[in-house]
Amino acid sequence: MSSSDKINRNITIPDGVQIGIDGGVVTVTGSKGSLSREMNYPGVKIMAKNGGVVVSSSISRRSIKAVVGAFAAHIRNMITGVTTGFEYNLKVVYSHFPITVKQTGAIVTIDNFLGERTPRKSKVLGDSKVSIKGDKVSVTGTRLEFVSQTAANIELATKVKGRDRRVFQDGIYLISKGEAA
């Protein structure tokens, strides 16, 4: 790539989605709600053009190309979030002590994990919703970062320490992730 090459990432906007760009703040509105995110980086421009969004830069360094790609991916994830949403599914697995999982407000509580007396707790981030049905835990929401981090928090809350993982396989594990159905 020569220094005169321009980096462009084009994102098409589906029907029913509106995108507003004000300074460095990108706002995406769709049927499931609205998401905003600040995206500022020197030399990177975000513009609405011909029914789509263009993330571009006239600087062709590898680090700038990575930022342009990351901004484009964030905008695509925001569009997916406000149209279909995201869903992560986890499964509760136990063989030694029956685990009880319940949600109270923005906290998921895991009781009787490996027979421990104190319950383990996990945070629910942002607008994510957690539903628990038997041994299935489902995390849904519009912002990918909040949904994935909430699922990771639940999984990490049941991390086994100080025991042989081959024997003590109890825990809550991620089984599927993707767009909500």
Side-chain angles (χ1 to χ4, degrees), residues 30-67:
S31 61
K32 294 212 177 240
S34 180
L35 293 174
S36 291
R37 185 178 201 123
E38 187 174 345
M39 295 188 208
N40 282 329
Y41 199 83
V44 178
K45 294 181 198 142
I46 302 172
M47 303 169 284
K49 208 183 242 187
N50 300 334
V53 176
V54 177
V55 182
S56 65
S57 177
S58 59
I59 305 167
S60 62
R61 286 198 306 262
R62 187 181 353 181
S63 60
I64 300 293
K65 185 177 181 183
V67 171

Side-chain angles (χ1 to χ4, degrees), residues 23 32 76 90 92 94 111 155 158 179:
K32 294 212 177 240
R76 280 193 292 274
L90 299 106
V92 179
Y94 59 87
D111 288 320
E155 192 172 20
T158 60
E179 295 180 17

Side-chain angles (χ1 to χ4, degrees), residues 46-126:
I46 302 172
M47 303 169 284
K49 208 183 242 187
N50 300 334
V53 176
V54 177
V55 182
S56 65
S57 177
S58 59
I59 305 167
S60 62
R61 286 198 306 262
R62 187 181 353 181
S63 60
I64 300 293
K65 185 177 181 183
V67 171
V68 168
F71 282 180
H74 285 311
I75 294 170
R76 280 193 292 274
N77 285 338
M78 290 167 69
I79 291 170
T80 302
V82 297
T83 55
T84 58
F86 296 98
E87 181 175 20
Y88 277 50
N89 294 308
L90 299 106
K91 183 172 172 81
V92 179
V93 178
Y94 59 87
S95 59
H96 294 91
F97 298 96
I99 299 171
T100 307
V101 181
K102 56 189 166 204
Q103 180 186 9
T104 52
I107 301 288
V108 174
T109 308
I110 299 118
D111 288 320
N112 201 31
F113 179 68
L114 297 178
E116 295 173 346
R117 289 175 188 241
T118 57
R120 295 189 178 201
K121 296 182 184 202
S122 168
K123 279 188 178 180
V124 177
L125 301 176

Side-chain angles (χ1 to χ4, degrees), residues 142-172:
T142 57
R143 183 167 231 149
L144 177 62
E145 292 86 2
F146 289 161
V147 174
S148 59
Q149 188 61 55
T150 299
N153 289 346
I154 294 169
E155 192 172 20
L156 284 172
T158 60
K159 186 174 182 181
V160 175
K161 297 175 188 157
R163 292 190 170 93
D164 189 354
R165 294 278 308 162
R166 296 170 294 180
V167 175
F168 293 91
Q169 296 179 357
D170 300 16
I172 301 175

